[in-house]
Amino acid sequence: MKTSSYEYHLSGSEDVDKISTELQKTENVHLDLRANSNMTKENFDKLLETLSKTKQRIFKCDIKDMELDDEKVGKLANTLKNWNLYHFHLNMSNINLTDKQFDTLIEPLKNMNDLEILHLIMENINMNDYKRHALQRAIREMNNLRSVHINIRSNKISRDALSDFRHILEPIPIRQL
């Protein structure tokens, strides 16, 4: 069975219904959910339930400016747990995640043995020391990473913390912080 790549920008409930069957045939999805006020809880749940039944290899997701509660973060993390991605790209800029929510979202990445490319855009997320350390621990456990791009602009991070972060990334062949 031939798989295809799809890019989705969801703007209403009919979009979730329309793409549900297409998602079953893909291994490469770019999902744009940026601050989508039309996305009801039911549609969000249905979308993640459909995605969790697929076998993604490349997943790009844009959740910039969304309001995420513990339940939504947990459902997104559970969806990620079902995959062994090769490439993961997440834009979570301008999202106020608690430390626990951040841990929940990052945890599934540690078990992805095939993950080689990690691209995280985390501008203005209140990157505190706890979140930074959690991300650093996760990166240390991702043994097959060969390319990492992390954007942490508009966060208050000390020069020493940035230096420490760069040191963690040194073993990875392609890296940008």
Side-chain angles (χ1 to χ4, degrees):
M1 176 167 103
K2 185 178 179 193
T3 59
S4 301
S5 298
Y6 289 95
E7 183 168 337
Y8 301 105
H9 175 77
L10 302 179
S11 59
S13 61
E14 65 280 352
D15 292 341
V16 173
D17 294 332
K18 185 169 58 174
I19 68 169
S20 290
T21 56
E22 293 173 2
L23 285 174
Q24 297 297 329
K25 302 179 278 187
T26 66
E27 289 184 353
N28 179 357
V29 171
H30 180 179
L31 190 60
D32 187 346
L33 298 171
R34 282 182 280 184
N36 190 339
S37 60
N38 295 328
M39 178 69 74
T40 65
K41 179 190 178 313
E42 293 77 24
N43 283 329
F44 186 82
D45 292 349
K46 181 177 181 177
L47 176 64
L48 292 182
E49 182 181 327
T50 300
L51 273 172
S52 70
K53 295 175 185 173
T54 66
K55 296 294 178 198
Q56 299 301 310
R57 295 291 294 147
I58 299 172
F59 186 61
K60 298 177 183 180
C61 187
D62 193 338
I63 57 175
K64 180 180 179 180
D65 299 319
M66 281 186 74
E67 290 185 31
L68 296 176
D69 58 17
D70 289 346
E71 185 179 354
K72 283 183 178 179
V73 169
K75 288 181 180 191
L76 184 56
N78 282 333
T79 298
L80 293 172
K81 286 178 185 176
N82 292 324
W83 300 333
N84 192 13
L85 297 173
Y86 164 77
H87 181 167
F88 181 61
H89 177 113
L90 180 63
N91 181 353
M92 62 172 116
S93 295
N94 303 321
I95 294 180
N96 189 18
L97 295 173
T98 65
D99 293 346
K100 180 183 174 208
Q101 289 171 332
F102 189 83
D103 273 344
T104 301
L105 203 52
I106 297 300
E107 185 66 30
L109 301 178
K110 296 178 191 178
N111 299 318
M112 293 185 187
N113 298 326
D114 293 343
L115 188 62
E116 292 187 21
I117 302 169
L118 178 64
H119 191 142
L120 300 173
I121 302 173
M122 302 183 295
E123 293 185 24
N124 193 31
I125 66 159
N126 187 24
M127 175 64 79
N128 58 27
D129 284 340
Y130 180 87
K131 290 175 186 162
R132 182 178 55 83
H133 287 297
L135 182 57
Q136 289 173 332
R137 281 190 304 274
I139 288 171
R140 278 191 213 113
E141 292 182 35
M142 297 178 214
N143 296 324
N144 291 321
L145 285 178
R146 63 177 179 81
S147 177
V148 174
H149 175 94
I150 300 174
N151 179 345
I152 52 176
R153 286 187 199 124
S154 302
N155 285 289
K156 294 177 183 175
I157 298 177
S158 71
R159 289 185 187 264
D160 290 339
L162 281 175
S163 178
D164 184 41
F165 214 143
R166 284 189 181 100
H167 179 71
I168 298 293
L169 297 178
E170 277 181 11
I172 301 168
I174 302 169
R175 60 199 174 273
Q176 183 176 7
L177 177 65

